[in-house]
Amino acid sequence: MEQAKLLCPKTISLILLASVMVLIWLYSWDSNVPSHSNRPSYVDTWTQEQSKRKSRIEKVCQEHGDQLYYDNLTLSRMLQGAGAGDQNTIIFIPKYNILYCGIPKCGTTSWYEDLRKLEVSNLELVPFMKHFKIESTEALLRILEGTPVSFTNVRHPFERLVSAYLMIMDMSKEE
């Protein structure tokens, strides 16, 4: 009777669990088994990928740099809306001390709509953007001295390309 109590299901389960733990511990000390430190981590893989991308960018810039440089796209021109459908892509809402720099095809319109709702503005989108646009580099520097919460939204370049293509296709259907 005494032996039957010792071999009850709980005891057997504990013995099996202890055995598995000992085997795992012994297995982790085996020099033939690759340790976690020998395997590349996600951070290592990410770092290698970023290094490859940086090298590729440097190569393209060296080969085609004269075709890629835009000496006429300055901050002043960007504040005036150059290259953004004649809309300023940087807006500031003083009430909330929020500075937003929109990047086309990266959810910019959605962010402008959300910021407009936050401001509870009855203005349409374009007048709202014009109302809160930054007029000059000097104004931007004054705003930055007030340490606003500044942000932007980014997107994978291929997703931006697809988004632009779909927008153009949609516009061509309307015509």
Side-chain angles (χ1 to χ4, degrees):
M1 194 68 156
E2 194 76 26
Q3 285 182 333
K5 284 185 180 178
L6 287 177
L7 296 176
C8 71
K10 285 184 182 179
T11 306
I12 293 172
S13 297
L14 285 174
I15 291 171
L16 284 173
L17 180 64
S19 301
V20 169
M21 290 177 67
V22 167
L23 286 174
I24 291 172
W25 180 73
L26 289 172
Y27 181 76
S28 67
W29 285 97
D30 186 357
S31 61
N32 295 327
V33 177
S35 70
H36 293 292
S37 61
N38 292 339
R39 284 186 259 153
S41 70
Y42 291 115
V43 174
D44 293 338
T45 305
W46 182 87
T47 305
Q48 290 170 356
E49 179 65 27
Q50 296 310 310
S51 179
K52 287 179 192 175
R53 289 178 181 178
K54 185 177 179 182
S55 297
R56 177 75 176 134
I57 289 170
E58 288 173 2
K59 181 180 176 188
V60 169
C61 287
Q62 286 174 355
E63 292 175 4
H64 306 285
D66 57 331
Q67 301 165 14
L68 300 173
Y69 181 71
Y70 298 100
D71 58 354
N72 58 355
L73 187 59
T74 62
L75 179 61
S76 297
R77 236 179 119 214
M78 195 166 109
L79 290 174
Q80 294 167 0
D86 292 330
Q87 293 298 320
N88 182 356
T89 59
I90 304 175
I91 63 170
F92 177 67
I93 303 177
K95 180 177 177 182
Y96 299 102
N97 198 28
I98 292 177
L99 179 67
Y100 174 66
C101 178
I103 300 172
K105 307 311 306 163
C106 289
T108 307
T109 303
S110 298
W111 273 108
Y112 287 143
E113 288 289 349
D114 291 342
L115 292 171
R116 188 170 67 92
K117 290 174 189 172
L118 177 70
E119 183 57 25
V120 191
S121 173
N122 58 357
L123 294 172
E124 291 298 316
L125 185 59
V126 172
F128 169 81
M129 291 168 54
K130 287 182 179 179
H131 178 75
F132 288 104
K133 78 176 187 175
I134 299 170
E135 298 293 336
S136 66
T137 306
E138 293 77 23
L140 178 60
L141 292 174
R142 279 194 308 277
I143 290 167
L144 291 173
E145 286 174 1
T147 61
V149 173
S150 56
F151 68 100
T152 191
N153 196 49
V154 296
R155 197 173 188 183
H156 191 281
F158 294 137
E159 289 180 17
R160 288 183 68 200
L161 184 63
V162 169
S163 178
Y165 173 77
L166 292 174
M167 183 184 76
I168 290 168
M169 295 307 292
D170 194 43
M171 288 171 39
S172 68
K173 287 179 186 176
E174 292 175 5
E175 293 176 355

